[in-house]
Amino acid sequence: MNHVLLIDDDVELVGMFAEYLEQEGFSVTCMHNGEDGARAALTGGYAIAVLDVMMPGAGGIEALRQIRAGSRMPVLMLTARGDDADRILGLELGADDYVAKPCTPRELTARVRAILRRTQAVPESGPGVVLSVGKLTMLPEQRRATWDGQHLDLTSTEFNLLEVLARNAGRPVSKNDLSEQGLGRPLARFDRNIDVHLSSLRHKLGPLADGRSCLQTIYRQGYQLIKE
């Protein structure tokens, strides 16, 4: 499925993005306000939503809240360059990644491809593989995960990052490797994306028997999923 939902009130910009995406083989639907965009996203007919944060009325952050209340579809945010507050809030609310505006259609398309490549990837270890680390069980082919038998409600990026950590359980994984393998792009300077996603994962995963989080920060090395 390669149907992209573009949600942005800048009609000219959206038209330019849509034209480029269609040339690259995507189907595109455009919405110009957050309310209509969220309603369309929740129909389930799209592979990914590209959502501008700054829109009049029901803005991008509110649209993201509405989408995340009923869907785990990938969401790529468009944010103002240097606007860290909205960017971090969006990631905390479940956005998968962001692109800072102004950006080129080529850059946007590359980011969309990176997210979909990870979301729709065939598991490396073949069909039917099960990853088990302590109370964590992951089924990459089905993109399902449980903790102590209870379903984990993860975004696509959270699932990707947790899968990378599970495949390397007991060993630290650098933030750059997590970005490359989990987000499909190199880690940018001053990028807090990985930190925000891992913070969210800590809240969703249960503690170890001794009360510690199973996701540990390893000084100057990255993050590690602890084996029990």
Side-chain angles (χ1 to χ4, degrees):
M1 191 165 92
N2 67 343
H3 199 164
V4 178
L5 176 63
L6 289 178
I7 310 171
D8 193 319
D9 63 314
D10 189 331
V11 177
E12 183 177 350
L13 181 66
V14 165
M16 181 176 65
F17 285 156
E19 182 178 358
Y20 191 91
L21 283 162
E22 287 169 349
Q23 290 174 356
E24 292 296 309
F26 292 93
S27 300
V28 181
T29 296
C30 301
M31 296 289 172
H32 301 297
N33 65 75
E35 186 174 320
D36 289 342
R39 189 180 302 115
L42 290 171
T43 64
Y46 302 93
I48 186 171
V50 179
L51 175 63
D52 183 33
V53 169
M54 295 299 295
M55 287 186 289
I61 293 297
E62 179 57 32
L64 177 60
R65 283 195 179 97
Q66 293 176 26
I67 293 170
R68 277 292 168 259
S71 173
R72 296 293 96 190
M73 72 180 297
V75 176
L76 176 65
M77 294 189 305
L78 293 173
T79 67
R81 191 172 298 278
D83 195 346
D84 290 338
D86 278 343
R87 188 171 300 161
I88 291 172
L89 177 58
L91 293 171
E92 289 175 341
L93 290 173
D96 291 271
D97 204 354
Y98 63 86
V99 175
K101 295 167 70 175
C103 64
T104 65
R106 182 178 180 181
E107 180 183 2
L108 178 74
T109 302
R111 198 62 63 84
V112 167
R113 284 194 193 282
I115 293 173
L116 294 181
R117 189 180 304 118
R118 291 296 307 168
T119 304
Q120 302 170 358
V122 175
E124 296 175 8
S125 301
V129 66
V130 177
L131 298 176
S132 294
V133 182
K135 296 179 181 180
L136 174 68
T137 300
M138 302 190 74
L139 291 81
E141 185 179 23
Q142 301 176 30
R143 293 189 68 79
R144 290 178 51 235
T146 62
W147 178 270
D148 201 17
Q150 299 298 310
H151 172 70
L152 287 172
D153 189 16
L154 305 176
T155 68
S156 62
T157 294
E158 288 170 352
F159 188 96
N160 295 342
L161 293 171
L162 188 56
E163 182 184 350
V164 174
L165 290 165
R167 292 183 185 276
N168 294 275
R171 304 191 303 270
V173 183
S174 71
K175 288 173 64 174
N176 190 65
D177 284 345
L178 283 168
S179 187
E180 289 273 9
Q181 298 176 46
L183 277 67
R185 63 175 177 84
L187 185 70
R189 193 179 183 189
F190 305 124
D191 190 345
R192 293 190 57 194
N193 202 327
I194 298 297
D195 303 304
V196 176
H197 286 306
L198 268 291
S199 176
S200 176
L201 278 171
R202 280 197 180 100
H203 285 93
K204 293 182 179 183
L205 297 174
L208 299 173
D210 61 6
R212 291 180 302 158
S213 169
C214 64
L215 286 178
Q216 293 291 311
T217 302
I218 309 300
Y219 183 62
R220 291 188 175 178
Q221 295 186 58
Y223 289 96
Q224 175 179 315
L225 180 64
I226 294 178
K227 285 185 176 181
E228 289 187 89

